Amino acid sequence: MKQRQWLALCLAFVLCLGVGGCNKKNEPYKETQFLLDTIIEITAYGADAQAAVKAAMEEFRKIQPLTDHFDPASQISKINQNAGIAPVRVDPEVIGMIRHAQELSEKMDGAFDISVGALTRLWNVGHNGEYVPEAAEIEALLPLVDYRLIQIDLVQQTVYLPKKGMYLDLGGVAKGAALNNAVNALKAKGITSALVNAGGDVRVIGRKPDGKAWRIGVQDPRNSEGVMAKLTLDQWDTLETSGDYQRFFIKDGVRYHHIIDPKTGRQPREIASVTLVYQDSAEVSDLASSGILVLGVEKGLQVLQRFPGVEAIIMTTDGRLITTPALAGAVGQ
């Protein structure tokens, strides 16, 4: 499935469950843009909703020129271009995202790693047709993947990759940072009811105008028109999903998707979809559901215990639906 088709379907599921049913007195202001290589949809209610949504959307635009590794002029691209050559001075926000990514990597035993870029470029799923690299090509790049090698100088505000060929891909954290900034922008404008959907990663503010909690559909990873779970965000304000159905191709009966295990250079095979649900806070913010997918069910659930208050819905590739205990009564089919 093409990426934009999947994103459009994902938006349809979220919006039909989260926005529908409101009366005409509470018509939302909605805006959609394609930024950070995904579809961003912001829906807000209130007298200043239009101005608030535009301010929130601007936060995504600000992040893009900093972190877009496809843009040779971005700050992340400058870091990559200077790997093994020299440190690169960057904005404090870029430093913050990289440090946050390193902390996540440590907590997830390296299953999430922004230095995996050399491998994601090699596979280039979603951009390079049905290309399957040779084992030797993968093995040659594995020494370039290690978040612990990334050098940050807080005084000089520089980032340095010590090995030529190292490549950062901030896709796993840039969207979350922009999402947080967008929500803060909405709140600064006095918005008390809103939904921000960044390619399937969702943040809500308050409740819908009718007083009901936002209800979000989680896509069935093997049915593009189906919902495998419906979740009411009454205790949580954040939902993020990673899956093997978002960007993929099938060749000779094998599914190759865009999530790469940093330690093997290949796609993990046990989990089809992971959805994390939590209340965003200083202690728990901008997690990496892809890391849980890489770890697999048993290890993933163990690692999840390091993040208090975070719950999960996991669909395995053989069709098992697994939830953490707190979601047992919250997930509706």
Side-chain angles (χ1 to χ4, degrees):
M1 176 184 292
K2 293 182 179 179
Q3 183 188 4
R4 293 198 186 194
Q5 291 176 323
W6 169 79
L7 291 169
L9 285 167
C10 187
L11 283 172
F13 283 126
V14 170
L15 295 177
C16 73
L17 291 168
V19 178
C22 298
N23 58 52
K24 293 183 179 179
K25 293 182 179 179
N26 292 308
E27 285 295 326
Y29 178 79
K30 295 185 287 187
E31 196 166 302
T32 303
Q33 299 285 339
F34 189 81
L35 298 164
L36 298 178
D37 202 31
T38 194
I39 295 176
I40 311 297
E41 175 117 7
I42 304 177
T43 304
Y45 297 85
D48 295 324
Q50 181 172 348
V53 168
K54 291 188 177 301
M57 196 67 78
E58 185 60 27
E59 296 298 331
F60 287 95
R61 291 194 186 90
K62 289 178 182 177
I63 291 286
Q64 181 151 327
L66 300 179
T67 63
D68 183 0
H69 64 98
F70 294 108
D71 178 1
S74 75
Q75 292 191 9
I76 286 299
S77 289
K78 295 299 183 185
I79 294 171
N80 294 334
Q81 292 160 13
N82 284 277
I85 301 172
V88 175
R89 187 176 179 85
V90 295
D91 286 8
E93 192 159 14
V94 174
I95 297 281
M97 283 185 276
I98 294 174
R99 293 185 72 193
H100 174 65
Q102 288 179 308
E103 291 170 2
L104 279 179
S105 297
E106 195 68 29
K107 287 185 176 181
M108 291 188 158
D109 297 339
F112 172 77
D113 192 332
I114 59 170
S115 70
V116 77
L119 290 167
T120 56
R121 284 183 77 200
L122 175 66
W123 283 94
N124 211 16
V125 176
H127 301 279
N128 199 28
E130 297 182 354
Y131 175 68
V132 179
E134 296 291 335
E137 294 179 277
I138 296 172
E139 295 297 322
L141 296 181
L142 288 177
L144 302 177
V145 181
D146 189 343
Y147 67 94
R148 294 166 296 188
L149 295 177
I150 303 170
Q151 298 177 16
I152 298 173
D153 186 327
L154 295 177
V155 175
Q156 299 298 322
Q157 289 289 291
T158 62
V159 178
Y160 178 55
L161 305 180
K163 293 185 177 183
K164 191 171 182 61
M166 286 188 72
Y167 195 94
L168 299 185
D169 182 345
L170 261 62
V173 291
K175 190 167 60 171
L179 196 56
N180 279 342
N181 293 345
V183 168
N184 290 336
L186 290 168
K187 291 180 177 178
K189 294 287 187 179
I191 297 299
T192 58
S193 178
L195 182 148
V196 183
N197 183 4
D201 288 356
V202 176
R203 282 282 299 277
V204 300
I205 298 175
R207 291 174 171 255
K208 294 187 290 183
D210 61 7
K212 295 180 180 178
W214 298 95
R215 191 162 168 79
I216 309 297
V218 180
Q219 184 178 335
D220 184 333
R222 293 297 179 265
N223 178 5
S224 62
E225 298 181 357
V227 174
M228 71 175 185
K230 299 174 185 177
L231 185 63
T232 301
L233 296 185
D234 51 358
Q235 304 175 51
W236 313 281
D237 65 4
T238 304
L239 178 152
E240 63 170 88
T241 298
S242 292
D244 68 1
Y245 60 97
Q246 297 168 341
R247 278 181 254 174
F248 73 95
F249 64 87
I250 296 176
K251 186 175 182 179
D252 300 326
V254 178
R255 178 183 294 260
Y256 297 95
H257 55 88
H258 73 295
I259 299 173
I260 305 298
D261 184 336
K263 297 178 181 179
T264 68
R266 294 167 173 81
Q267 291 82 3
R269 300 291 180 190
E270 184 183 7
I271 295 177
S273 173
V274 175
T275 296
L276 301 182
V277 185
Y278 54 95
Q279 184 71 29
D280 187 80
S281 65
E283 292 74 30
V284 179
S285 182
D286 303 339
L287 300 187
S289 50
S290 61
I292 303 299
L293 191 147
V294 167
L295 288 167
V297 175
E298 183 177 359
K299 181 63 174 177
L301 291 175
Q302 291 175 1
V303 166
L304 203 60
Q305 295 177 15
R306 300 172 187 172
F307 301 92
V310 179
E311 307 299 334
I313 305 169
I314 298 174
M315 176 68 81
T316 64
T317 52
D318 61 4
R320 291 177 293 138
L321 182 63
I322 300 164
T323 67
T324 49
L327 287 184
V331 174
Q333 293 288 348

